[in-house]
Amino acid sequence: MAKKLMIQGTMSNVGKTTLTAGLCRILAQDGHRVAPFKPQNLASAAYVTKSGDKIGIGQAVQAEAAGIEPDGRMNPVLVKPCGSGTEVCIRGKPVPGITEYGSMTKLMPEVLSAFQSLEKEYDIIIIEGAGAAAELNLMDRDIANMGFAKKVSAPVVIVGDIERGGVFASLYGTFGLFDDAAKKLVRGFVINRLSGDPKHLGTGPSRLTDLTGVPVLGVVPKLDIHLQEEDIPGPIPRDDSLLENKAYREHQLDLLADALRKALDMDAVYKILEENT
């Protein structure tokens, strides 16, 4: 059975996709056969694999970071807004008749089947959650965050974006809204997009750990790294030719991996992975 780690966030766009890609890159560099996985994705744009499957762009980037071919199983449920409605893809294939968000819970067996299939082929799977991990109105039908983590007993790291302000409150509040079973799965926090010296955080990280019993695994600086954006068809920067160049993309992924190796306690990350074999 593959080792696994799930990256969840306090809200959307806190850096889950990039952190997952960076971890995939580091683990691949270290000689591990690693794959990305996102149970459910809501995105305005999609990546089409060589076999014609539609998946989230983030999972395509993460697969490239891992040095493997993007696969429909890596994002088994993709919800793509189309005009006044939505297109729902299961393992990359559009499935008509699924129109209500609440019906997503019926797709958990598909999600688990895709994950279990990947588990047979890879040593490690890095899982990305969707949106905010502690939405009280969604917890009873969640297949994308703790609902999935509980099903596969995945250890979880919660990411917060300090650039938006209130990072300690958002990390503490997210953890506090989890039930006891979910809290037991949380193995670490990551503070993302810090501009300046981590020393300026003072005793904040240690106080957060005192309040929750969960360590802060690292403080990631704001990075000038360009990867294809999840919800924007055009890449950043706007010069499309840059990200169409594989050598450029590979260099950006290597820069990301180097930055995360410096910012994160990778020994602790590996220990978490070893604990769930």
Side-chain angles (χ1 to χ4, degrees):
M1 183 180 295
K3 301 169 187 175
K4 50 195 173 286
L5 176 65
M6 189 168 192
I7 308 300
Q8 297 182 14
T10 57
M11 64 181 80
S12 297
N13 299 314
V14 296
K16 299 185 296 292
T17 302
T18 300
L19 182 58
T20 300
L23 288 173
C24 283
R25 189 62 159 198
I26 289 171
L27 293 165
Q29 288 174 341
D30 290 351
H32 300 283
R33 185 159 173 75
V34 57
F37 183 81
K38 185 165 185 172
Q40 176 191 317
N41 201 352
L42 173 64
S44 59
Y47 176 91
V48 180
T49 70
K50 287 184 177 179
S51 60
D53 294 336
K54 292 183 179 180
I55 64 173
I57 290 171
Q59 283 61 69
V61 171
Q62 292 158 1
E64 185 166 45
I68 58 177
E69 198 60 43
D71 184 317
R73 294 172 297 171
M74 295 172 183
N75 179 203
V77 179
L78 174 64
V79 182
K80 187 173 177 291
C82 298
S84 59
T86 57
E87 177 185 69
V88 178
C89 295
I90 308 299
R91 290 205 191 192
K93 307 298 184 187
V95 177
I98 303 177
T99 57
E100 296 182 7
Y101 189 82
S103 66
M104 291 295 108
T105 53
K106 299 176 182 178
L107 299 178
M108 180 65 89
E110 291 284 354
V111 170
L112 291 173
S113 176
F115 181 78
Q116 290 160 1
S117 178
L118 287 173
E119 274 195 304
K120 296 175 183 177
E121 298 178 20
Y122 294 92
D123 304 325
I124 300 173
I125 302 179
I126 304 298
I127 309 158
E128 180 190 345
E135 297 283 17
L136 292 177
N137 57 314
L138 301 178
M139 284 181 171
D140 62 343
R141 56 188 188 274
D142 169 46
I143 69 172
N145 290 296
M146 277 300 179
F148 176 77
K150 289 177 182 178
K151 287 287 187 182
V152 300
S153 300
V156 173
V157 171
I158 306 294
V159 184
D161 180 0
I162 196 170
E163 196 169 46
R164 299 187 180 197
V167 70
F168 294 112
S170 61
L171 288 168
Y172 179 69
T174 296
F175 180 82
L177 289 174
F178 290 150
D179 61 25
D180 289 343
K183 286 178 179 176
K184 289 178 182 177
L185 292 174
V186 180
R187 298 289 195 275
F189 296 121
V190 170
I191 296 171
N192 196 25
R193 298 190 183 123
L194 176 70
S195 297
D197 192 331
K199 292 180 181 178
H200 294 160
L201 296 178
T203 61
S206 62
R207 290 179 67 187
L208 179 63
T209 297
D210 290 342
L211 288 167
T212 62
V214 177
V216 176
L217 300 178
V219 179
V220 180
K222 186 174 182 179
L223 302 173
D224 184 24
I225 290 173
H226 306 289
L227 302 174
Q228 175 70 52
E229 292 289 311
E230 177 92 324
D231 294 315
I232 304 174
I236 302 295
R238 293 300 179 187
D239 180 358
D240 289 5
S241 63
L242 286 177
L243 282 172
E244 288 175 0
N245 184 303
K246 183 174 176 60
Y248 178 83
R249 297 196 308 270
E250 292 288 333
H251 180 58
Q252 293 296 298
L253 289 166
D254 285 340
L255 289 176
L256 173 60
D258 289 345
L260 291 185
R261 283 187 189 274
K262 294 174 182 176
L264 299 179
D265 183 347
M266 285 305 302
D267 288 339
V269 172
Y270 269 113
K271 183 177 179 180
I272 292 168
L273 288 168
E274 291 296 333
E275 289 173 353
N276 73 93
T277 52

